[in-house]
Every structure is written in structure tokens, then in C-alpha cells.
Amino acid sequence: QVQLRESGGGLVQTGDSLRLSCTASGGTFSDYAMGWFRQPLGREREFVASISWSGRVTDVEDSVRGRFFISRDNAKNTVILQMNRLKPEDTAVYYCAASPKYYSSGRTPIYEYGDWGQGTQVTVSS
């Protein structure tokens, strides 16, 4: 089990950038694949991006590909979501999550992510 804490959310304007960080504690960070998810108000939680244990493999949702980038630093127990050219539809609570599995074929399903942070709000004004 690992404890996760997100930071970096806030209120920005369309076209701005934000860098979300998620720091892990209480476990061996490199044992976990990491994911970012988001939940817009009144909607279900949805996948944004994920990264394998080593960081060599990433997966990004189509709607944010080319704008959002995921990376990790295992020495710092941190996973980053760099969000560029933000749009109002990116407004949501963003969560990081940890999974002991990372599917080599297809997207790792949300039920594999057993540990979650408390979330950080991102609001993009038009």
C-alpha cells in the first residue's frame, strides 16, 4: 500500500499550463505503475494518463494527447502530469493512483488502481 498526495491544481485561463505533482510515501514507489484520472463535476471518473514502473511506457487519453504529458522520478517518489494548452473541458478534480500491474496490451483498467490520492481541483476559465 502507498499513500499519495497531489498538488499543483488551481484556477487558470484557457491556453495556460499547469503542472500537477503526486508524491508517494509508505511503499516502494518503483513497484507501482501510476495513473492520473479526473472527475468533472457530476460525471464519472475518467482516465487521463498512465506510466509504467520504469517510466519507459506511457498511455495517454486521446482527448489530451499532445497537450498532457506524464513522467515520473522514482528517486523522488513523484509522478508529474504536465498540462498544456488547457481548455474549459479539462476542468475537473484530478487524482493520481497507483497500481501494482501495468498491462502490456491495452489500457490498465481502473480497478487495478488500489491506492488513490485525495485529488486536486483544476479549473479552466474561458
Side-chain angles (χ1 to χ4, degrees):
Q1 191 174 8
V2 63
Q3 290 77 49
L4 304 172
R5 175 169 291 184
E6 304 94 338
S7 61
L11 171 64
V12 297
Q13 295 183 335
T14 297
D16 285 351
S17 297
L18 272 179
R19 184 173 181 265
L20 302 184
S21 295
C22 173
T23 301
S25 62
T28 303
F29 184 63
S30 58
D31 285 348
Y32 295 90
M34 298 298 296
W36 284 98
F37 296 79
R38 65 185 181 186
Q39 188 165 17
L41 186 64
R43 293 170 53 185
E44 292 187 355
R45 196 167 298 188
E46 61 189 31
F47 172 81
V48 177
S50 66
I51 189 166
S52 63
W53 307 274
S54 66
R56 293 192 186 97
V57 180
T58 61
D59 180 20
V60 182
E61 174 59 31
D62 287 348
S63 63
V64 303
R65 186 170 294 125
R67 298 190 298 122
F68 289 15
F69 301 91
I70 187 170
S71 61
R72 68 188 294 163
D73 185 339
N74 286 346
K76 296 182 179 179
N77 290 357
T78 300
V79 60
I80 300 295
L81 184 67
Q82 177 66 44
M83 305 187 295
N84 301 324
R85 292 184 281 129
L86 283 160
K87 304 176 181 180
E89 51 264 43
D90 296 320
T91 295
V93 178
Y94 282 72
Y95 299 89
C96 72
S99 169
K101 298 182 180 180
Y102 197 73
Y103 286 26
S104 58
S105 176
R107 181 161 293 163
T108 303
I110 191 170
Y111 61 75
E112 295 286 10
Y113 292 87
D115 299 308
W116 292 80
Q118 83 288 349
T120 185
Q121 176 71 46
V122 172
T123 303
V124 186
S125 64
S126 57

